[in-house]
Amino acid sequence: MAAVGSAVGLGNIWRFPYEAGQNGGGAFLLVYLICVFILGIPTLMAEMTLGRMAKTNSVEAFRRMSSHPVFSRIGYLGVFSCLLILGFYTVVAGWTFQYMWESVSGGIEGMTSEQFSQSFVEFSSSPFQPIFWTVLMFLITHLIIIGGVQKGIERASKFMMPLLFVLLVVLCGNSLTLDGAREGLSFLFKPDFSAINSSVVLSAMGQAFFSLSLGAGVMITYASYFEKDVNLPRTVTTVSLLDTSVALLAGVVIFPAVFTFGIEPTQGPNLVFVTLPNIFAQLPWGSVWSFFFFLLLALASITSLISLHQVVTAYVEEEFRLSNRKSALVVSCLAAVLAVFASLSLGVMNDVQIAGMCLFDLLDYVTAKIMMPLGSLLLCVFMGWRLDKSELINEVTNHGTLRWRLAKVWVVALKYVIPILITLVFVNELGLFKL
Ligand code: PHE
């Protein structure tokens, strides 16, 4: 459940719809699903296997399994990715607090679609409010982290995730009755093949890794706490199925509403925060729905934030021999500084652009579309080529006590299929070579 907690979060409910909206809807969804099955699931299996074999943090895991000068250092990339993700994820997580606040203070009543959109832009670009919520998010995450690893995380995940799921299903039912339901569903589910290009493929691949928390060492770290008898293939299947269904549910909630309320599907990170209030505003007891939804979304983001934070903290703790409290404090402070700038980059610091993007967009782009696929690529090459095949199969089958018919196929995927496909997507996007 903790692994599901890490995977399910803003990636599914905020990032998936906005990426789908920007990348042609159905075309994106199709490529995304292919990426989850061919790249995501085997990579998740690889991370969990490595974590349970090495039983240590994600940096040390590679070091323990190899003395190779490059391969033993792959873990650093993941830690760095987690730190950068914390830098923008916490900002978005903070937005959910604002919406909870607005729901109870009556802010969503009687507004038009345009007003919702305007008020979101005003809020997210203002210098103080979003930063206040971001800092509060850091505080909560920090307190959970220093309260101990398993207890806090597991206790929280166990009741929050199922509730979120139920609420999404109910909201789906509601969205299907909207006037724009047909249009929304056909946008999401009817792929326009001519819309598939290299940037759609890169975005879909990045989304698959981001959503499953891959290529950042999270699942390595979590699996290091697994018992010997955990059924890895089953765990991996559960995590990926739940994660993917939450993204699909979010899509079914959002797109009918997008077309009903005349919202631009391509507007990016704002999409969900502009669409959801429209949905709640037309429901009876709208503010109550809205409050609970954003509460659960906040909780879902916290279980992801914990996993990101834990990777960096576990590393700092062991590498610099600091106490858990001190390491967590270092991580919270570093990430909070980054997050403050990321939040400001949507408003007063918007003209500071790097590679044509503000800091917020840059962090999102670089982590999901470059660092996480690269981390996954290196991990697969490492597992496939540096580790002993029979040892891997031994680990996934709990020393032969479980049967997993796909074990051999999985090893082939690690050795060849995944590295080749990720490389092709990168090379294609760079324009070095056109498929
Ligand atoms: N998978 C999380 C989500 O979908 C985000 C995340 C990415 C968490 C990377 C940990 C590591 O919200």
Side-chain angles (χ1 to χ4, degrees):
M1 284 312 279
V4 174
S6 169
V8 174
L10 294 167
N12 312 60
I13 293 167
W14 161 72
R15 202 172 185 284
F16 171 78
Y18 105 59
E19 284 282 346
Q22 278 184 330
N23 289 288
F28 176 86
L29 178 62
L30 179 71
V31 185
Y32 168 70
L33 291 176
I34 295 175
C35 289
V36 167
F37 280 98
I38 301 186
L39 306 174
I41 293 178
T43 307
L44 180 55
M45 192 71 197
E47 286 211 10
M48 291 196 158
T49 307
L50 178 63
R52 195 173 62 172
M53 276 166 105
K55 293 198 178 44
T56 175
N57 72 62
S58 58
V59 168
E60 191 55 33
F62 289 96
R63 253 194 244 142
R64 196 165 286 181
M65 308 300 290
S66 162
S67 53
H68 187 279
V70 176
F71 284 109
S72 63
R73 295 196 171 86
I74 299 176
Y76 289 107
L77 179 66
V79 172
F80 193 47
S81 308
C82 286
L83 189 66
L84 298 187
I85 298 172
L86 278 173
F88 72 94
Y89 201 93
T90 324
V91 175
V92 184
W95 293 347
T96 60
F97 280 157
Q98 168 75 12
Y99 277 76
M100 277 160 70
W101 171 248
E102 274 180 22
S103 318
V104 287
S105 61
I108 70 159
E109 266 150 42
M111 297 226 284
T112 63
S113 183
E114 236 127 71
Q115 285 168 321
F116 281 130
S117 176
Q118 211 179 355
S119 93
F120 175 75
V121 173
E122 259 165 41
F123 157 70
S124 63
S125 60
S126 75
F128 302 112
Q129 247 170 325
I131 291 179
F132 171 76
W133 297 121
T134 305
V135 171
L136 185 63
M137 259 303 170
F138 269 114
L139 208 67
I140 296 173
T141 311
H142 184 84
L143 291 177
I144 299 179
I145 293 284
I146 61 174
V149 179
Q150 287 175 332
K151 279 178 292 161
I153 302 179
E154 282 185 5
R155 220 183 294 143
S157 320
K158 267 184 191 148
F159 70 91
M160 287 160 13
M161 293 297 121
L163 261 181
L164 179 68
F165 202 84
V166 172
L167 197 60
L168 276 174
V169 172
V170 174
L171 288 176
C172 269
N174 172 62
S175 281
L176 294 177
T177 65
L178 296 174
D179 295 338
R182 187 175 296 254
E183 214 182 329
L185 293 182
S186 92
F187 176 80
L188 183 61
F189 291 110
K190 254 210 205 120
D192 166 9
F193 291 97
S194 69
I196 301 180
N197 57 31
S198 70
S199 99
V200 170
V201 176
L202 180 72
S203 301
M205 176 176 87
Q207 177 60 22
F209 288 119
F210 187 87
S211 192
L212 290 168
S213 307
L214 295 176
V218 167
M219 295 302 184
I220 299 177
T221 307
Y222 271 18
S224 74
Y225 305 116
F226 283 0
E227 305 284 344
K228 276 202 309 292
D229 59 351
V230 167
N231 184 329
L232 290 179
R234 192 188 295 152
T235 308
V236 166
T237 314
T238 313
V239 172
S240 28
L241 279 183
L242 283 175
D243 185 67
T244 309
S245 23
V246 173
L248 287 175
L249 286 176
V252 176
V253 173
I254 297 294
F255 287 105
V258 162
F259 289 94
T260 306
F261 303 111
I263 294 164
E264 197 47 68
T266 54
Q267 60 183 278
N270 297 8
L271 181 70
V272 174
F273 286 93
V274 169
T275 312
L276 285 168
N278 278 293
I279 298 179
F280 298 127
Q282 51 86 42
L283 285 176
W285 303 77
S287 328
V288 179
W289 284 102
S290 171
F291 177 78
F292 276 109
F293 183 83
F294 285 109
L295 176 70
L296 292 173
L297 187 55
L299 297 174
S301 351
I302 291 173
T303 53
S304 302
L305 282 171
I306 293 168
S307 70
L308 289 160
H309 201 301
Q310 180 61 29
V311 166
V312 197
T313 303
Y315 162 70
V316 173
E317 206 175 320
E318 271 163 63
E319 181 80 44
F320 302 100
R321 309 221 168 279
L322 290 178
S323 68
N324 172 263
R325 279 171 178 266
K326 281 203 189 113
S327 327
L329 190 65
V330 172
V331 176
S332 297
C333 292
L334 271 179
V337 171
L338 194 59
V340 165
F341 282 106
S343 180
L344 292 175
S345 80
L346 295 172
V348 289
M349 287 178 60
N350 195 254
D351 41 348
V352 185
Q353 303 250 328
I354 309 158
M357 287 177 261
C358 69
L359 182 63
F360 180 96
D361 292 339
L362 185 74
L363 290 174
D364 182 345
Y365 186 96
V366 168
T367 51
K369 295 187 187 170
I370 301 175
M371 295 173 71
M372 301 177 86
L374 184 63
S376 304
L377 171 99
L378 293 172
L379 168 88
C380 292
V381 171
F382 175 79
M383 300 277 287
W385 293 90
R386 304 289 307 178
L387 300 187
D388 184 42
K389 182 178 156 197
S390 54
E391 225 177 290
L392 291 182
I393 295 190
N394 238 339
E395 186 70 37
V396 289
T397 58
N398 294 358
H399 301 276
T401 55
L402 286 179
R403 270 194 40 176
W404 187 41
R405 270 174 298 147
L406 293 174
K408 292 214 173 91
V409 181
W410 172 61
V411 176
V412 174
L414 295 186
K415 272 184 113 145
Y416 306 100
V417 182
I418 301 177
I420 293 175
L421 287 180
I422 298 179
T423 309
L424 281 179
V425 176
F426 277 154
V427 170
N428 198 40
E429 170 71 12
L430 286 173
L432 298 177
F433 163 87
K434 280 285 166 205
L435 277 180

